[in-house]
Coordinates of all heavy atoms in Angstrom, one line a residue:
M182 N 19.9 10.5 0.2 CA 19.1 11.3 1.2 C 17.7 11.4 0.8 O 16.8 11.4 1.6 CB 19.7 12.7 1.2 CG 19.1 13.6 2.2 SD 19.0 13.0 3.8 CE 20.0 14.2 4.7
A183 N 17.4 11.4 -0.6 CA 16.0 11.5 -1.0 C 15.2 10.3 -0.6 O 14.0 10.4 -0.2 CB 15.9 11.6 -2.6
W184 N 15.8 9.1 -0.5 CA 15.1 7.9 0.0 C 14.8 8.0 1.4 O 13.7 7.7 1.8 CB 15.9 6.7 -0.4 CG 15.8 6.3 -1.8 CD1 16.8 6.5 -2.8 CD2 14.8 5.6 -2.4 NE1 16.3 6.0 -4.0 CE2 15.1 5.4 -3.8 CE3 13.5 5.1 -1.9 CZ2 14.2 4.8 -4.7 CZ3 12.7 4.5 -2.8 CH2 13.0 4.3 -4.2
I185 N 15.7 8.6 2.2 CA 15.4 8.7 3.7 C 14.2 9.7 3.9 O 13.3 9.4 4.6 CB 16.6 9.2 4.4 CG1 17.6 8.1 4.3 CG2 16.3 9.6 5.8 CD1 19.0 8.5 4.8
V186 N 14.2 10.8 3.1 CA 13.1 11.7 3.2 C 11.8 11.1 2.7 O 10.8 11.4 3.3 CB 13.5 13.0 2.4 CG1 12.3 14.0 2.3 CG2 14.7 13.7 3.0
L187 N 11.8 10.4 1.7 CA 10.6 9.7 1.2 C 10.1 8.7 2.2 O 8.8 8.6 2.4 CB 11.0 8.9 -0.2 CG 9.8 8.2 -0.8 CD1 8.7 9.2 -1.1 CD2 10.3 7.5 -2.0
I188 N 10.9 8.0 2.9 CA 10.5 7.0 4.0 C 9.8 7.9 5.1 O 8.7 7.5 5.6 CB 11.6 6.2 4.4 CG1 12.0 5.2 3.3 CG2 11.3 5.4 5.7 CD1 13.3 4.5 3.6
I189 N 10.4 9.0 5.5 CA 9.9 9.8 6.5 C 8.5 10.4 6.1 O 7.5 10.3 6.8 CB 10.8 10.9 6.9 CG1 12.1 10.3 7.6 CG2 10.2 11.9 7.9 CD1 13.2 11.3 7.8
A190 N 8.4 10.7 4.8 CA 7.1 11.2 4.3 C 6.1 10.1 4.4 O 4.9 10.4 4.7 CB 7.3 11.7 2.8
G191 N 6.5 8.9 4.1 CA 5.5 7.7 4.2 C 5.1 7.5 5.6 O 4.0 7.2 5.9
L192 N 6.0 7.7 6.6 CA 5.7 7.5 7.9 C 4.7 8.6 8.4 O 3.7 8.3 9.2 CB 6.9 7.6 8.9 CG 7.9 6.4 8.6 CD1 9.2 6.6 9.4 CD2 7.3 5.1 8.9
F193 N 4.8 9.8 7.9 CA 3.8 10.8 8.3 C 2.5 10.6 7.6 O 1.4 11.0 8.1 CB 4.4 12.2 7.8 CG 5.2 12.9 8.9 CD1 6.6 13.1 8.7 CD2 4.7 13.3 10.0 CE1 7.3 13.6 9.6 CE2 5.4 13.9 11.0 CZ 6.8 14.1 10.8
E194 N 2.5 9.8 6.4 CA 1.3 9.4 5.8 C 0.5 8.5 6.7 O -0.7 8.5 6.9 CB 1.5 8.8 4.5 CG 0.2 8.5 3.7 CD 0.3 7.9 2.4 OE1 1.5 7.7 1.9 OE2 -0.7 7.8 1.7
I195 N 1.2 7.6 7.4 CA 0.7 6.6 8.4 C 0.0 7.4 9.6 O -1.1 7.1 10.0 CB 1.7 5.6 8.9 CG1 2.2 4.8 7.8 CG2 1.1 4.7 10.0 CD1 3.5 4.0 8.1
V196 N 0.7 8.4 10.1 CA 0.3 9.2 11.1 C -1.0 9.9 10.7 O -2.0 9.9 11.6 CB 1.4 10.2 11.6 CG1 0.8 11.3 12.6 CG2 2.6 9.6 12.1
W197 N -1.0 10.5 9.6 CA -2.3 11.3 9.3 C -3.5 10.4 9.1 O -4.6 10.7 9.3 CB -2.1 12.3 8.1 CG -1.9 11.9 6.7 CD1 -0.8 12.0 6.0 CD2 -2.9 11.5 5.8 NE1 -1.0 11.6 4.7 CE2 -2.3 11.3 4.5 CE3 -4.3 11.2 6.0 CZ2 -3.0 10.8 3.5 CZ3 -5.0 10.7 4.9 CH2 -4.4 10.5 3.6
A198 N -3.2 9.2 8.5 CA -4.3 8.3 8.3 C -4.9 7.7 9.6 O -6.2 7.7 9.8 CB -3.8 7.0 7.5
F199 N -4.0 7.5 10.6 CA -4.5 7.1 11.9 C -5.2 8.2 12.6 O -6.2 8.0 13.2 CB -3.3 6.5 12.7 CG -3.7 6.2 14.1 CD1 -4.5 5.1 14.3 CD2 -3.3 7.0 15.2 CE1 -4.9 4.7 15.7 CE2 -3.7 6.6 16.5 CZ -4.5 5.5 16.7
A200 N -4.6 9.4 12.5 CA -5.2 10.6 13.2 C -6.6 10.9 12.5 O -7.5 11.3 13.2 CB -4.3 11.8 13.1
M201 N -6.7 10.7 11.3 CA -8.0 11.0 10.6 C -9.0 10.0 11.1 O -10.2 10.4 11.4 CB -7.8 10.8 9.1 CG -9.2 11.1 8.3 SD -9.1 11.0 6.5 CE -7.9 12.2 6.1
K202 N -8.7 8.8 11.3 CA -9.6 7.8 11.9 C -10.0 8.2 13.3 O -11.2 8.1 13.6 CB -8.9 6.3 11.9 CG -9.8 5.3 12.6 CD -10.9 4.9 11.7 CE -11.5 3.7 12.4 NZ -12.8 3.3 11.7
Q203 N -9.1 8.7 14.0 CA -9.3 9.2 15.4 C -10.2 10.4 15.4 O -10.8 10.8 16.5 CB -8.0 9.4 16.2 CG -7.2 8.0 16.4 CD -8.0 6.9 16.9 OE1 -8.6 7.0 18.0 NE2 -8.1 5.8 16.2
S204 N -10.1 11.2 14.4 CA -10.9 12.5 14.3 C -12.4 12.3 14.2 O -13.1 13.3 14.4 CB -10.4 13.3 13.2 OG -10.9 12.9 11.9
H205 N -12.8 11.0 13.8 CA -14.2 10.8 13.7 C -14.9 11.8 12.7 O -15.8 12.5 13.0 CB -15.0 10.8 15.1 CG -14.6 9.7 15.9 ND1 -15.1 8.4 15.8 CD2 -13.6 9.6 16.9 CE1 -14.5 7.6 16.7 NE2 -13.6 8.4 17.4
G206 N -14.3 11.8 11.5 CA -14.8 12.7 10.5 C -14.6 14.2 10.7 O -15.4 15.1 10.4
F207 N -13.4 14.5 11.3 CA -13.0 15.8 11.6 C -13.9 16.5 12.7 O -14.1 17.7 12.7 CB -12.9 16.7 10.4 CG -11.8 16.2 9.5 CD1 -12.0 15.7 8.3 CD2 -10.4 16.5 9.9 CE1 -11.0 15.2 7.5 CE2 -9.4 16.0 9.0 CZ -9.6 15.4 7.9
T208 N -14.5 15.7 13.6 CA -15.4 16.3 14.6 C -14.6 16.4 15.9 O -15.1 17.0 16.9 CB -16.6 15.4 14.8 OG1 -16.2 14.0 15.2 CG2 -17.5 15.3 13.5
R209 N -13.4 15.9 16.0 CA -12.5 16.1 17.2 C -11.3 16.9 16.8 O -10.6 16.6 15.9 CB -12.2 14.7 17.7 CG -13.4 13.8 18.1 CD -13.0 12.4 18.3 NE -12.5 12.2 19.5 CZ -11.9 11.1 20.0 NH1 -11.7 10.1 19.1 NH2 -11.5 11.0 21.2
L210 N -11.1 17.9 17.7 CA -10.1 19.0 17.3 C -8.7 18.4 17.2 O -8.1 18.6 16.1 CB -10.2 20.1 18.4 CG -9.1 21.2 18.1 CD1 -9.3 21.9 16.8 CD2 -9.2 22.2 19.3
W211 N -8.2 17.9 18.2 CA -6.7 17.5 18.2 C -6.4 16.4 17.2 O -5.4 16.7 16.4 CB -6.3 17.1 19.6 CG -6.2 18.3 20.6 CD1 -7.1 18.5 21.6 CD2 -5.4 19.4 20.4 NE1 -6.8 19.7 22.2 CE2 -5.8 20.3 21.5 CE3 -4.4 19.8 19.6 CZ2 -5.2 21.5 21.7 CZ3 -3.7 21.0 19.8 CH2 -4.2 21.9 20.8
P212 N -7.2 15.4 17.1 CA -6.8 14.5 16.0 C -7.0 15.1 14.6 O -6.2 14.8 13.7 CB -7.8 13.3 16.1 CG -8.2 13.4 17.5 CD -8.2 14.8 18.0
S213 N -7.9 16.0 14.5 CA -8.1 16.8 13.2 C -6.8 17.6 12.9 O -6.3 17.6 11.8 CB -9.3 17.6 13.2 OG -10.4 16.9 13.4
L214 N -6.3 18.3 13.9 CA -5.1 19.1 13.7 C -3.9 18.3 13.4 O -3.0 18.7 12.5 CB -4.8 20.0 15.0 CG -5.9 21.1 15.2 CD1 -5.5 21.8 16.6 CD2 -5.9 22.1 14.1
V215 N -3.8 17.2 14.1 CA -2.6 16.2 13.8 C -2.8 15.7 12.4 O -1.8 15.7 11.6 CB -2.6 15.0 14.8 CG1 -1.6 14.0 14.3 CG2 -2.3 15.5 16.1
T216 N -4.0 15.5 11.9 CA -4.2 15.0 10.5 C -3.7 16.0 9.5 O -2.9 15.7 8.7 CB -5.7 14.7 10.3 OG1 -6.1 13.7 11.2 CG2 -5.9 14.3 8.8
V217 N -4.1 17.3 9.7 CA -3.7 18.3 8.7 C -2.2 18.6 8.8 O -1.6 18.7 7.8 CB -4.6 19.6 9.0 CG1 -4.0 20.8 8.2 CG2 -6.0 19.4 8.8
G218 N -1.7 18.6 10.0 CA -0.2 18.9 10.1 C 0.6 17.7 9.5 O 1.6 18.0 8.8
A219 N 0.2 16.5 9.8 CA 0.9 15.3 9.2 C 0.8 15.3 7.7 O 1.7 14.9 7.0 CB 0.5 14.1 9.9
M220 N -0.4 15.6 7.2 CA -0.6 15.7 5.8 C 0.3 16.6 5.1 O 1.0 16.3 4.1 CB -2.0 16.1 5.4 CG -3.0 14.9 5.5 SD -4.7 15.7 5.1 CE -5.6 14.2 5.0
A221 N 0.4 17.8 5.7 CA 1.3 18.9 5.1 C 2.8 18.4 5.1 O 3.5 18.6 4.1 CB 1.1 20.2 5.9
L222 N 3.2 17.8 6.3 CA 4.6 17.4 6.3 C 4.8 16.2 5.3 O 5.8 16.2 4.6 CB 4.9 16.9 7.8 CG 5.2 18.0 8.7 CD1 5.3 17.4 10.2 CD2 6.5 18.6 8.4
S223 N 3.9 15.3 5.2 CA 4.0 14.2 4.3 C 4.1 14.7 2.9 O 5.1 14.2 2.2 CB 2.9 13.2 4.6 OG 3.0 12.1 3.7
V224 N 3.2 15.5 2.5 CA 3.3 15.9 1.1 C 4.5 16.8 0.8 O 5.1 16.7 -0.2 CB 1.9 16.7 0.7 CG1 2.0 17.3 -0.6 CG2 0.8 15.7 0.8
G225 N 4.8 17.6 1.8 CA 6.0 18.5 1.6 C 7.3 17.7 1.5 O 8.1 17.9 0.6
L226 N 7.4 16.6 2.3 CA 8.6 15.8 2.1 C 8.6 14.9 0.9 O 9.6 14.7 0.2 CB 8.7 14.9 3.4 CG 9.0 15.6 4.7 CD1 8.8 14.6 5.9 CD2 10.4 16.2 4.7
L227 N 7.4 14.5 0.4 CA 7.3 13.8 -0.8 C 7.7 14.7 -2.0 O 8.5 14.3 -2.8 CB 5.8 13.4 -1.1 CG 5.5 12.8 -2.4 CD1 6.3 11.5 -2.7 CD2 4.0 12.6 -2.6
A228 N 7.3 16.0 -2.0 CA 7.7 16.9 -3.0 C 9.2 17.1 -3.0 O 9.8 17.2 -4.1 CB 7.0 18.2 -2.8
W229 N 9.8 17.2 -1.8 CA 11.3 17.4 -1.7 C 12.0 16.2 -2.4 O 12.9 16.3 -3.1 CB 11.7 17.6 -0.3 CG 13.1 18.0 -0.2 CD1 13.6 19.2 -0.2 CD2 14.3 17.1 0.0 NE1 15.0 19.2 -0.1 CE2 15.4 17.9 0.0 CE3 14.4 15.7 0.0 CZ2 16.7 17.4 0.1 CZ3 15.7 15.2 0.1 CH2 16.7 16.0 0.1
S230 N 11.5 15.0 -2.0 CA 12.2 13.8 -2.5 C 12.0 13.6 -4.0 O 12.9 13.1 -4.7 CB 11.6 12.5 -1.8 OG 10.3 12.3 -2.2
M231 N 10.9 14.2 -4.5 CA 10.7 14.1 -6.0 C 11.7 15.0 -6.8 O 11.7 15.0 -8.0 CB 9.3 14.5 -6.4 CG 8.3 13.4 -6.1 SD 6.7 14.0 -6.6 CE 5.7 12.5 -6.3
R232 N 12.4 15.9 -6.1 CA 13.4 16.7 -6.8 C 14.5 15.8 -7.4 O 15.1 16.2 -8.4 CB 14.0 17.8 -5.9 CG 13.0 18.8 -5.5 CD 13.6 19.9 -4.8 NE 14.5 19.5 -3.7 CZ 15.2 20.4 -2.9 NH1 14.9 21.7 -3.0 NH2 16.0 19.9 -2.0
S233 N 14.7 14.6 -6.8 CA 15.7 13.8 -7.4 C 15.2 12.4 -7.7 O 16.0 11.6 -8.4 CB 17.0 13.7 -6.5 OG 16.6 13.2 -5.2
L234 N 14.1 11.9 -7.2 CA 13.6 10.6 -7.5 C 12.5 10.7 -8.6 O 11.8 11.7 -8.6 CB 13.0 10.0 -6.3 CG 13.9 9.7 -5.1 CD1 13.1 9.2 -3.9 CD2 14.9 8.7 -5.5
P235 N 12.4 9.7 -9.5 CA 11.3 9.8 -10.5 C 10.0 9.8 -9.8 O 9.7 9.2 -8.8 CB 11.5 8.4 -11.2 CG 12.9 7.9 -10.9 CD 13.2 8.5 -9.5
L236 N 9.0 10.5 -10.5 CA 7.6 10.6 -10.0 C 7.0 9.3 -9.7 O 6.5 9.1 -8.6 CB 6.8 11.3 -11.1 CG 5.3 11.3 -10.9 CD1 4.8 12.1 -9.6 CD2 4.6 11.7 -12.1
G237 N 7.1 8.4 -10.6 CA 6.4 7.1 -10.4 C 6.9 6.3 -9.3 O 6.3 5.7 -8.5
T238 N 8.2 6.3 -9.1 CA 8.9 5.7 -8.0 C 8.5 6.3 -6.6 O 8.1 5.6 -5.7 CB 10.4 5.7 -8.1 OG1 10.8 5.0 -9.4 CG2 11.2 5.0 -7.0
A239 N 8.7 7.6 -6.6 CA 8.5 8.3 -5.3 C 7.0 8.1 -4.9 O 6.7 7.8 -3.7 CB 8.9 9.8 -5.4
Y240 N 6.1 8.4 -5.8 CA 4.7 8.3 -5.4 C 4.2 6.9 -5.1 O 3.5 6.7 -4.1 CB 3.8 8.9 -6.6 CG 2.4 9.0 -6.2 CD1 2.0 10.0 -5.3 CD2 1.4 8.1 -6.6 CE1 0.7 10.2 -4.9 CE2 0.1 8.2 -6.2 CZ -0.3 9.3 -5.4 OH -1.6 9.4 -5.0
T241 N 4.8 6.0 -5.8 CA 4.4 4.5 -5.5 C 4.9 4.1 -4.1 O 4.2 3.5 -3.3 CB 4.9 3.6 -6.6 OG1 4.4 4.0 -7.8 CG2 4.6 2.1 -6.3
V242 N 6.2 4.4 -3.9 CA 6.8 4.1 -2.6 C 6.0 4.8 -1.4 O 5.7 4.2 -0.4 CB 8.2 4.4 -2.6 CG1 8.8 4.2 -1.2 CG2 9.0 3.4 -3.5
W243 N 5.7 6.1 -1.6 CA 5.0 6.9 -0.6 C 3.7 6.3 -0.3 O 3.3 6.1 0.9 CB 4.9 8.3 -1.1 CG 4.2 9.3 -0.2 CD1 4.6 9.8 1.0 CD2 2.9 9.9 -0.5 NE1 3.7 10.7 1.5 CE2 2.7 10.7 0.6 CE3 2.0 9.8 -1.5 CZ2 1.5 11.6 0.6 CZ3 0.9 10.6 -1.5 CH2 0.7 11.5 -0.4
T244 N 2.9 6.0 -1.3 CA 1.6 5.4 -1.0 C 1.7 4.0 -0.5 O 0.9 3.6 0.3 CB 0.7 5.4 -2.3 OG1 1.4 4.7 -3.3 CG2 0.4 6.8 -2.8
G245 N 2.6 3.2 -0.9 CA 2.8 1.9 -0.5 C 3.2 1.9 1.1 O 2.7 1.1 1.8
I246 N 4.1 2.7 1.5 CA 4.4 2.9 2.9 C 3.2 3.2 3.7 O 2.9 2.7 4.8 CB 5.6 3.9 3.1 CG1 6.9 3.4 2.5 CG2 5.7 4.2 4.6 CD1 7.9 4.5 2.5
G247 N 2.5 4.2 3.2 CA 1.3 4.6 3.9 C 0.2 3.5 4.0 O -0.4 3.3 5.1
A248 N 0.0 2.8 2.9 CA -1.0 1.8 2.9 C -0.6 0.6 3.8 O -1.4 0.2 4.6 CB -1.2 1.2 1.4
V249 N 0.6 0.1 3.7 CA 1.0 -1.0 4.6 C 1.1 -0.5 6.0 O 0.7 -1.3 6.9 CB 2.3 -1.6 4.0 CG1 2.9 -2.6 5.0 CG2 2.1 -2.3 2.7
G250 N 1.6 0.6 6.2 CA 1.7 1.1 7.6 C 0.3 1.3 8.2 O 0.2 0.9 9.4
A251 N -0.6 1.8 7.5 CA -2.0 1.9 8.0 C -2.6 0.6 8.2 O -3.3 0.4 9.2 CB -2.8 2.8 7.0
F252 N -2.3 -0.4 7.4 CA -2.8 -1.7 7.6 C -2.3 -2.3 8.9 O -3.0 -2.9 9.7 CB -2.3 -2.5 6.3 CG -2.6 -4.0 6.5 CD1 -3.9 -4.5 6.4 CD2 -1.5 -4.8 6.7 CE1 -4.1 -5.9 6.5 CE2 -1.7 -6.2 6.8 CZ -3.0 -6.8 6.7
V253 N -0.9 -2.1 9.1 CA -0.4 -2.7 10.3 C -0.9 -1.9 11.6 O -1.3 -2.6 12.5 CB 1.2 -2.5 10.3 CG1 1.8 -2.8 11.6 CG2 1.7 -3.4 9.2
V254 N -1.0 -0.6 11.5 CA -1.6 0.1 12.7 C -3.1 -0.4 12.9 O -3.4 -0.5 14.0 CB -1.5 1.7 12.4 CG1 -2.4 2.4 13.4 CG2 -0.1 2.1 12.5
G255 N -3.8 -0.6 11.8 CA -5.2 -1.0 11.9 C -5.3 -2.4 12.7 O -6.1 -2.5 13.6
I256 N -4.3 -3.2 12.4 CA -4.3 -4.5 13.1 C -3.8 -4.4 14.5 O -4.4 -4.9 15.5 CB -3.4 -5.5 12.3 CG1 -4.1 -5.9 11.0 CG2 -3.2 -6.8 13.1 CD1 -3.2 -6.6 10.0
A257 N -2.6 -3.7 14.7 CA -2.0 -3.6 16.0 C -2.7 -2.7 17.0 O -2.7 -3.1 18.2 CB -0.6 -3.2 15.8
V258 N -3.2 -1.6 16.5 CA -3.9 -0.7 17.5 C -5.4 -0.7 17.4 O -6.0 -0.6 18.5 CB -3.4 0.7 17.1 CG1 -4.0 1.8 18.0 CG2 -1.9 0.8 17.1
L259 N -6.0 -0.9 16.3 CA -7.4 -0.8 16.2 C -8.1 -2.2 16.2 O -9.4 -2.3 16.1 CB -7.9 -0.1 14.9 CG -7.3 1.4 14.8 CD1 -7.6 2.0 13.6 CD2 -7.7 2.2 16.0
G260 N -7.4 -3.3 16.2 CA -7.9 -4.6 16.3 C -8.6 -5.1 15.0 O -9.5 -5.9 15.1
E261 N -8.1 -4.6 13.8 CA -8.7 -5.0 12.6 C -8.3 -6.4 12.2 O -7.3 -6.9 12.8 CB -8.4 -4.0 11.5 CG -8.9 -2.6 11.7 CD -8.5 -1.6 10.7 OE1 -7.8 -1.9 9.8 OE2 -9.0 -0.4 10.8
S262 N -9.0 -7.0 11.3 CA -8.7 -8.4 10.9 C -7.3 -8.5 10.3 O -6.9 -7.7 9.5 CB -9.8 -8.8 9.8 OG -9.4 -10.0 9.2
A263 N -6.7 -9.7 10.6 CA -5.4 -10.0 10.0 C -5.5 -11.3 9.3 O -4.8 -12.3 9.6 CB -4.4 -10.1 11.1
S264 N -6.5 -11.5 8.4 CA -6.7 -12.7 7.7 C -5.5 -13.0 6.8 O -4.7 -12.1 6.4 CB -8.0 -12.6 6.8 OG -7.8 -11.7 5.7
A265 N -5.4 -14.3 6.3 CA -4.3 -14.7 5.5 C -4.2 -13.9 4.2 O -3.2 -13.5 3.7 CB -4.4 -16.2 5.3
L266 N -5.4 -13.7 3.6 CA -5.4 -12.9 2.4 C -5.0 -11.5 2.5 O -4.3 -10.9 1.7 CB -6.8 -13.0 1.7 CG -7.1 -14.3 1.0 CD1 -8.6 -14.3 0.5 CD2 -6.2 -14.5 -0.2
R267 N -5.4 -10.9 3.6 CA -5.0 -9.5 3.8 C -3.5 -9.4 4.1 O -2.8 -8.5 3.6 CB -5.7 -8.9 5.0 CG -7.3 -8.7 4.8 CD -7.9 -8.0 5.9 NE -7.7 -6.5 5.8 CZ -7.5 -5.7 6.8 NH1 -7.6 -6.1 8.0 NH2 -7.3 -4.4 6.6
L268 N -3.0 -10.4 4.8 CA -1.5 -10.4 5.0 C -0.8 -10.7 3.8 O 0.3 -10.0 3.6 CB -1.1 -11.4 6.1 CG -1.7 -11.2 7.5 CD1 -1.5 -12.3 8.4 CD2 -0.9 -9.9 8.1
L269 N -1.2 -11.5 2.9 CA -0.6 -11.8 1.6 C -0.6 -10.5 0.8 O 0.3 -10.2 0.1 CB -1.3 -12.9 0.9 CG -0.8 -13.2 -0.5 CD1 0.7 -13.6 -0.5 CD2 -1.7 -14.3 -1.2
A270 N -1.8 -9.8 0.8 CA -1.9 -8.6 0.0 C -0.8 -7.6 0.5 O -0.1 -6.9 -0.3 CB -3.3 -8.0 0.1
A271 N -0.6 -7.4 1.8 CA 0.4 -6.5 2.3 C 1.8 -7.0 1.9 O 2.6 -6.1 1.6 CB 0.2 -6.4 3.9
L272 N 2.0 -8.2 2.0 CA 3.3 -8.8 1.6 C 3.6 -8.5 0.1 O 4.8 -8.1 -0.3 CB 3.3 -10.2 1.8 CG 4.7 -10.9 1.4 CD1 5.8 -10.4 2.2 CD2 4.6 -12.4 1.6
L273 N 2.6 -8.5 -0.7 CA 2.8 -8.2 -2.2 C 3.1 -6.8 -2.3 O 3.9 -6.4 -3.2 CB 1.6 -8.7 -2.9 CG 1.4 -10.1 -3.1 CD1 0.0 -10.5 -3.7 CD2 2.5 -10.8 -3.9
I274 N 2.4 -5.9 -1.6 CA 2.7 -4.5 -1.7 C 4.2 -4.2 -1.2 O 4.9 -3.5 -2.0 CB 1.7 -3.6 -0.8 CG1 0.3 -3.7 -1.4 CG2 2.2 -2.2 -0.7 CD1 -0.7 -3.2 -0.5
V275 N 4.6 -4.8 -0.1 CA 6.0 -4.6 0.4 C 7.0 -5.1 -0.7 O 8.0 -4.5 -1.0 CB 6.2 -5.2 1.7 CG1 7.7 -5.3 2.1 CG2 5.4 -4.5 2.7
S276 N 6.6 -6.3 -1.3 CA 7.5 -6.8 -2.4 C 7.6 -5.9 -3.6 O 8.7 -5.6 -4.1 CB 7.0 -8.1 -2.9 OG 6.9 -9.1 -1.8
G277 N 6.5 -5.2 -3.9 CA 6.5 -4.2 -5.0 C 7.3 -3.0 -4.6 O 8.1 -2.5 -5.5
L278 N 7.2 -2.6 -3.4 CA 8.1 -1.5 -3.0 C 9.5 -1.8 -3.1 O 10.4 -0.9 -3.5 CB 7.7 -1.0 -1.5 CG 6.3 -0.5 -1.3 CD1 6.1 -0.3 0.1 CD2 6.0 0.7 -2.1
L279 N 10.0 -2.9 -2.6 CA 11.3 -3.3 -2.7 C 11.8 -3.4 -4.1 O 12.9 -2.9 -4.5 CB 11.5 -4.7 -2.0 CG 11.3 -4.6 -0.4 CD1 11.5 -6.0 0.2 CD2 12.4 -3.7 0.2
L280 N 11.0 -4.0 -5.0 CA 11.4 -4.0 -6.4 C 11.5 -2.6 -7.0 O 12.4 -2.4 -7.8 CB 10.4 -4.8 -7.2 CG 10.4 -6.4 -7.0 CD1 9.2 -7.1 -7.7 CD2 11.7 -6.9 -7.5
M281 N 10.6 -1.7 -6.6 CA 10.7 -0.4 -7.1 C 12.0 0.3 -6.7 O 12.6 1.0 -7.4 CB 9.5 0.5 -6.6 CG 9.3 1.8 -7.2 SD 8.8 1.7 -8.9 CE 7.1 1.2 -8.8
K282 N 12.4 0.1 -5.5 CA 13.7 0.6 -4.9 C 14.8 0.1 -5.8 O 15.7 0.8 -6.2 CB 13.8 0.4 -3.4 CG 15.2 0.5 -2.9 CD 15.6 2.0 -2.9 CE 16.9 2.3 -2.2 NZ 18.0 2.8 -3.0
V283 N 14.9 -1.2 -5.9 CA 16.0 -1.9 -6.6 C 16.1 -1.4 -8.1 O 17.1 -1.2 -8.7 CB 15.8 -3.4 -6.6 CG1 16.7 -4.1 -7.6 CG2 16.0 -4.0 -5.2
A284 N 14.9 -1.2 -8.7 CA 14.8 -0.8 -10.1 C 15.0 0.6 -10.4 O 15.1 1.1 -11.5 CB 13.5 -1.3 -10.7
S285 N 15.1 1.5 -9.4 CA 15.1 2.9 -9.6 C 16.5 3.6 -9.2 O 17.2 3.1 -8.3 CB 14.1 3.6 -8.7 OG 12.8 3.2 -9.0
P286 N 16.8 4.6 -10.0 CA 18.2 5.2 -9.7 C 17.9 6.2 -8.6 O 16.8 6.5 -8.1 CB 18.3 6.2 -11.0 CG 16.9 6.3 -11.5 CD 16.1 5.1 -11.2
G287 N 19.0 6.5 -8.0 CA 18.9 7.5 -6.8 C 19.2 6.8 -5.5 O 19.1 7.1 -4.5

């Protein structure tokens, strides 16, 4: 269950990163509110998952989901660059996340 909660926390990290971009430096109300709410949910779920998962594993997976998810949203929604090197970097992050899952108890 902790892994499912951790994945959901990572998804909320993607939401707040995208909403923060849309807030234009917290100058737009609704994206700013979504950012703050998603941040609170993300961190709260991360904290819950850390009750049974190791700190290093939980935090690494959480940030990795957020980083790769924000990268994908940037390409798919915001039209950011999808160069071969950027895609390779994302693939390496995902590989590290999978290794972290395999190597961790819980």
Side-chain angles (χ1 to χ4, degrees):
M182 183 57 115
W184 281 101
I185 293 168
V186 171
L187 181 60
I188 291 168
I189 294 168
L192 295 175
F193 275 109
E194 188 178 4
I195 298 165
V196 170
W197 74 252
F199 178 70
M201 184 182 292
K202 176 73 172 171
Q203 299 305 304
S204 78
H205 294 275
F207 294 109
T208 61
R209 298 166 84 195
L210 178 62
W211 291 111
S213 297
L214 292 175
V215 170
T216 300
V217 172
M220 280 180 171
L222 282 168
S223 182
V224 172
L226 293 170
L227 171 63
W229 189 90
S230 72
M231 283 183 176
R232 293 190 313 182
S233 59
L234 294 176
L236 165 69
T238 300
Y240 189 75
T241 300
V242 170
W243 179 69
T244 57
I246 291 169
V249 172
F252 171 74
V253 170
V254 169
I256 291 170
V258 178
L259 302 175
E261 295 176 359
S262 169
S264 69
L266 279 177
R267 291 186 82 213
L268 293 170
L269 176 61
L272 178 64
L273 290 171
I274 293 170
V275 171
S276 298
L278 296 176
L279 293 173
L280 285 172
M281 191 68 75
K282 166 65 174 120
V283 169
S285 296

